[in-house]
Every structure is written in structure tokens, then in C-alpha cells.
Amino acid sequence: MTTLHKYVSNIKKVKYLMFLIIFFLSGLNVFGQKYSADFCSPVNYPILLSGNFAELRPNHFHSGIDIKVKGVGDALNSVEKGYVSRIKISSQGYGNALYITHPNGYTSVYAHMNRYSSKITNFINEYRKKNPDFEFTYYPDSTELPVKKSEVIGYSGNTGRSYGAHLHFEIRETKKDIPVNPLLFNFVVKDTRKPNFYNLKITKFDNLSPKDTKLKNVFPLSKSSEGYYKTKQKITLWGNIGFSVEAKDFMNGSNNRLGIFSMELQIDGKKVYYDEFNKFSFYDSRYVNSFMDYAEKKMSGKYFQRCFIEPGNKLTIYKDCINSGIINFSDNKKHKVKIIIKDIKGNKSELNFNVRSKKPKAKTDFKNNDELFKFDVENYLVKNNIRLIIPEFSLYKDIYFSFSKIPSSKYIYSDLYKIHKSTVPVHNYMILSIKPKNL
């Protein structure tokens, strides 16, 4: 072998070795790693979570992580150098909160604090000499309150809308104020526990007769000896079908039920649905009412996460979805269904079950006599004494709108009206006008 050949061969070996090192190190990162920033921990002990990013909450996704603290008064650190860009004191919401803008393009948020550091407290006291209100929001400029990395900025507490001392912590993209999953960065959180399945729900999209009740909607799940989850009974179905699951995640050192980072649906080995919570916009947070099964939450109190997308749902967390995750079963064959859920560390659980496509004996020509309201247009209800305007894209899907009037007594200023169903969510405000009587 010539010297040149040896040189080239050595270069190839070095490149291959570098590839192996990079591949190994990438395996140490969190699942779905896409962000880089050298943040330090906001607390001075191992991070344990009582709530995680994008956890399902009433009318919104959780925009940060809830870090367990040892009690009121634990020191909280700035995760990177920067400057205090917002101070907010309120009896509701985040309570005593601090926003720090960093030069790397991110802003960190610290909420429910008991008190601030002496430097920030002195600044607030000077501000209050001119603005004595207890509740206020102030936006310092980049020169007023600079902070260093790991500098103590305040102390843990239970202020605002909080039900126990903890730190609500967020990382946001500064430019558009978009919350990013903090665990996509270098914060050390130990997690080797797999997420759990509890129940499967099946939704039919065909307008079948009410007599077609053979398919039970919710199926309890059990764990097989091989480690995957399965249904306890056989499933026969027909037509356009959507699947939903009740599932939760857990982390080491904590029994708090947390949200799922990603979910994938496969039919006969082919991916038809996938979601992943790297980040979301505050403007889209209310779409949680379509992401989950809102009616099921109202009726049973359980959170079911859908493996399909309603047409009015504009979340950007979905990837590689076919027909919005809605499957047509009308071939009289058996099919293998697999649902995979993962946490942000890559721990995963699988639900495997078979379904049989079989046409029901009941007639499928049932007609709903209620008026059809389309999700993507403005809808009106105009009667003698009532007017309702539903703006476009206020609904997540087309609905057959139901309405009824209930006679009232002479002691009430108008008739009573029942406007559709409380199990159907709306995304925007509606305009309602009722003509009074007996005035």
C-alpha cells in the first residue's frame, strides 16, 4: 500500500470513528432532540416533575413543566445570562412571575414564586413609589436588570393559581413568544419508566341508525406477558373509524400522572397518524378541546387522546398523517392495529389488537332531521325571540345542530332555550341575543 493509500485509509477510519462517537452521543440525548442551549438547572437539587409540557388541561395545553420543590423559600436560579424582561405580580394565574430574556434567542419563565431576590425586590419597591397598585406587569429594558447565569433571582412559592408550592418553568422562543418543551434542552431529568395505556375508544363517523349499538365505544386494556397492551375482547367494526386512547406517563421518583410526548397509529404496519409535542403556539392552545375527546371528558372525567384530526383542528404537531388518521374498514377482512406512545426520553409502550371489518345488519340510511352546521362557515340560528351567530371555524367539525325552547313562568324575563349540547366544544365566542318579555 502506498503512503497516499494509507493516508486515505486512515482518514476514512477517523471519519468512521467520529460517526460512531456522534451516533453514540446522540443516543444520550432526549427523544426528538432539535434544540441546543447550555442552560443550568433552575433549582439546586435533582429535577422531579409534577406536571410536564403539553399536558392536557382545561381549555389549554400546559405550556411548561412543574418542578417539585422542597418547600416555600427554595432558591431559584437564572438558567442563563440575560436580563429581566418582564415582572408580573398577580393574585391569579402565575402569581409572582419573572421572565428573563437570554442572548441565545430564548426566554425563561419562573412562576408562582414566593418572593424575588433582594436586587429585584429593590427595583420593584422603587417602581411602586410611582405605581402603588399591588398587581402590575412591568417590562424592564435590557439595561435595567441584567442577570448572570445561575444567579439567584427569587425563591419558590405558591402564589397565583397554584395548589401547592412548586416552580412552573418555561422556555419560550423570544421572537414569537412560543413555548418550547424544556426537556428538549440539556436539563437532567431521570426517566426510565414507560408510559401506560388504560382504555381504548372507537369513534364512528358514519351516520348510522341509533339501533346500531353492537359496538361498545370504550374497551379496557390489559398488559400481555410479552409486555405490550391489548384489548380484552374482540372488536368488529365497519365504515370510517377513529381511535382514541386514555394514556399517561410517569417519571422516576414521582407518581404524578403526566402527558404523552408522542403517539403513532399503524394499520397493518403502515403509519397513518403521528403527533409530537416539541412546541406549540399560545394562539393554538385551545385546540386541546379537539385534540382530546371533549365529550368523554365532560361525561366521565377521563382524558382520551385522539389518533385522528378533526377538520377544524389547526394544531401543527401532526406529521405523516393519512386521511387525518381516519380509517375506512369496509373490506370484510382482519386488520392489525398498533398504537405506540412515547415519552420525551424515548421510553415507549405499545397497544396491539386486531379488528374485523364486518358490515352490520342494521340499516345505514338513518337521516338526521336537525340542521347541518358547517365548521368552516358562519352559522345562524334565527327564531322569533332568539338569535345566535356562530363565527366560522368556531366548530371543530360539522354538526347537526339541535335547539329547543322550554316555556318559562311569568316570573322569568324570557323563554328558556336549550342550545345544542354541552359535550360539544366551541373554539371562539358566539353572539347570543334573546328578546325579553314580562318587563
Side-chain angles (χ1 to χ4, degrees):
M1 183 180 290
T2 64
T3 303
L4 179 59
H5 287 166
K6 289 181 179 179
Y7 176 77
V8 173
S9 178
N10 289 336
I11 289 293
K12 290 181 178 179
K13 290 178 180 178
V14 170
K15 287 183 176 180
Y16 181 69
L17 180 60
M18 290 178 66
F19 169 78
L20 289 178
I21 293 173
I22 293 171
F23 180 80
F24 173 75
L25 290 177
S26 67
L28 298 179
N29 292 334
V30 293
F31 175 72
Q33 176 76 49
K34 294 183 179 180
Y35 302 91
S36 61
D38 185 23
F39 292 126
C40 70
S41 176
V43 294
N44 296 320
Y45 35 75
I47 294 177
L48 295 176
L49 301 187
S50 59
N52 66 343
F53 185 79
E55 200 172 272
L56 307 185
R57 300 286 178 87
N59 294 317
H60 71 285
F61 294 104
H62 192 222
S63 56
I65 57 176
D66 288 340
I67 300 176
K68 293 188 174 186
V69 298
K70 295 181 179 180
V72 173
D74 293 352
L76 304 176
N77 311 312
S78 173
V79 297
E80 180 56 283
K81 67 179 180 180
Y83 68 95
V84 176
S85 54
R86 190 192 309 183
I87 303 171
K88 185 175 179 64
I89 296 179
S90 173
S91 60
Q92 300 296 317
Y94 284 4
N96 297 338
L98 207 62
Y99 299 68
I100 299 177
T101 297
H102 309 289
N104 58 11
Y106 297 103
T107 296
S108 56
V109 182
Y110 314 76
H112 309 304
M113 299 167 67
N114 180 52
R115 57 190 175 92
Y116 302 101
S117 67
S118 57
K119 179 175 77 173
I120 298 173
T121 298
N122 292 336
F123 181 89
I124 292 173
N125 290 338
E126 288 298 316
Y127 174 83
R128 276 186 162 152
K129 289 180 180 179
K130 298 180 181 179
N131 305 274
D133 294 338
F134 169 75
E135 294 191 347
F136 72 88
T137 301
Y138 180 69
Y139 298 87
D141 63 37
S142 59
T143 63
E144 290 181 279
L145 277 173
V147 295
K148 299 177 181 178
K149 184 175 184 177
S150 74
E151 177 181 336
V152 174
I153 53 173
Y155 301 88
S156 62
N158 189 31
T159 58
R161 190 175 179 81
S162 172
Y163 302 99
H166 72 284
L167 170 64
H168 173 86
F169 175 74
E170 298 179 16
I171 296 292
R172 300 182 185 180
E173 293 177 352
T174 303
K175 189 174 182 180
K176 294 186 178 181
D177 200 35
I178 292 178
V180 180
N181 196 327
L183 298 189
L184 288 170
F185 296 91
N186 60 316
F187 299 107
V188 178
V189 179
K190 187 177 181 180
D191 182 13
T192 59
R193 299 178 67 179
K194 296 180 179 180
N196 292 356
F197 285 101
Y198 297 98
N199 289 290
L200 168 73
K201 183 172 182 178
I202 295 177
T203 301
K204 293 188 289 187
F205 294 94
D206 302 287
N207 192 21
L208 300 179
S209 165
K211 296 181 180 180
D212 180 29
T213 57
K214 291 184 179 180
L215 176 64
K216 180 183 177 183
N217 282 355
V218 177
F219 298 82
L221 305 175
S222 61
K223 206 168 187 179
S224 69
S225 57
E226 293 84 2
Y228 63 84
Y229 290 82
K230 61 181 181 179
T231 55
K232 295 182 179 180
Q233 61 257 62
K234 295 181 180 180
I235 299 176
T236 301
L237 39 73
W238 182 263
N240 293 316
I241 298 293
F243 296 103
S244 307
V245 294
E246 181 191 9
K248 293 292 181 182
D249 187 30
F250 297 88
M251 288 186 171
N252 297 49
S254 172
N255 288 321
N256 294 83
R257 292 187 171 192
L258 308 174
I260 303 301
F261 174 69
S262 73
M263 184 163 65
E264 178 179 335
L265 170 64
Q266 296 178 7
I267 305 296
D268 297 325
K270 184 177 182 180
K271 183 196 292 187
V272 297
Y273 171 93
Y274 183 77
D275 66 51
E276 186 177 276
F277 276 105
N278 291 314
K279 61 181 180 179
F280 63 85
S281 167
F282 283 114
Y283 295 104
D284 295 338
S285 192
R286 191 174 173 85
Y287 286 117
V288 67
N289 292 327
S290 178
F291 176 80
M292 69 176 182
D293 191 316
Y294 183 87
E296 187 66 45
K297 179 64 176 65
K298 291 284 288 186
M299 293 185 294
S300 70
K302 295 180 179 180
Y303 283 101
F304 277 77
Q305 181 173 323
R306 286 172 166 156
C307 300
F308 60 90
I309 311 167
E310 292 183 315
N313 180 352
K314 304 303 179 184
L315 279 172
T316 59
I317 62 167
Y318 304 109
K319 301 177 183 178
D320 304 325
C321 296
I322 299 175
N323 195 36
S324 299
I326 298 172
I327 316 302
N328 181 267
F329 293 101
S330 57
D331 56 6
N332 292 299
K333 295 180 180 180
K334 289 184 178 180
H335 298 275
K336 293 182 178 180
V337 182
K338 177 184 287 187
I339 299 176
I340 305 169
I341 54 176
K342 294 181 181 179
D343 63 23
I344 200 165
K345 294 291 186 179
N347 303 305
K348 69 177 182 179
S349 293
E350 293 185 3
L351 166 61
N352 293 290
F353 60 97
N354 296 324
V355 298
R356 175 66 185 270
S357 171
K358 185 178 180 180
K359 192 171 183 178
K361 295 181 180 179
K363 295 181 179 180
T364 59
D365 57 352
F366 171 73
K367 184 177 181 181
N368 195 319
N369 294 320
D370 292 327
E371 184 178 357
L372 180 65
F373 277 16
K374 307 283 286 185
F375 79 96
D376 55 350
V377 300
E378 189 173 65
N379 293 281
Y380 298 89
L381 167 69
V382 181
K383 300 290 183 181
N384 290 337
N385 295 321
I386 185 172
R387 181 178 64 189
L388 176 69
I389 301 174
I390 305 177
E392 61 181 354
F393 298 108
S394 293
L395 303 172
Y396 298 116
K397 62 179 181 179
D398 298 345
I399 63 171
Y400 282 97
F401 185 79
S402 62
F403 166 80
S404 60
K405 184 175 75 170
I406 306 172
S408 63
S409 71
K410 62 180 180 180
Y411 302 106
I412 298 178
Y413 289 138
S414 73
D415 289 322
L416 302 180
Y417 301 95
K418 183 179 179 181
I419 300 174
H420 202 59
K421 303 171 184 177
S422 62
T423 54
V424 175
V426 290
H427 195 73
N428 300 312
Y429 289 104
M430 301 182 291
I431 302 172
L432 176 65
S433 305
I434 298 176
K435 184 178 181 181
K437 66 178 183 179
N438 303 330
L439 288 181

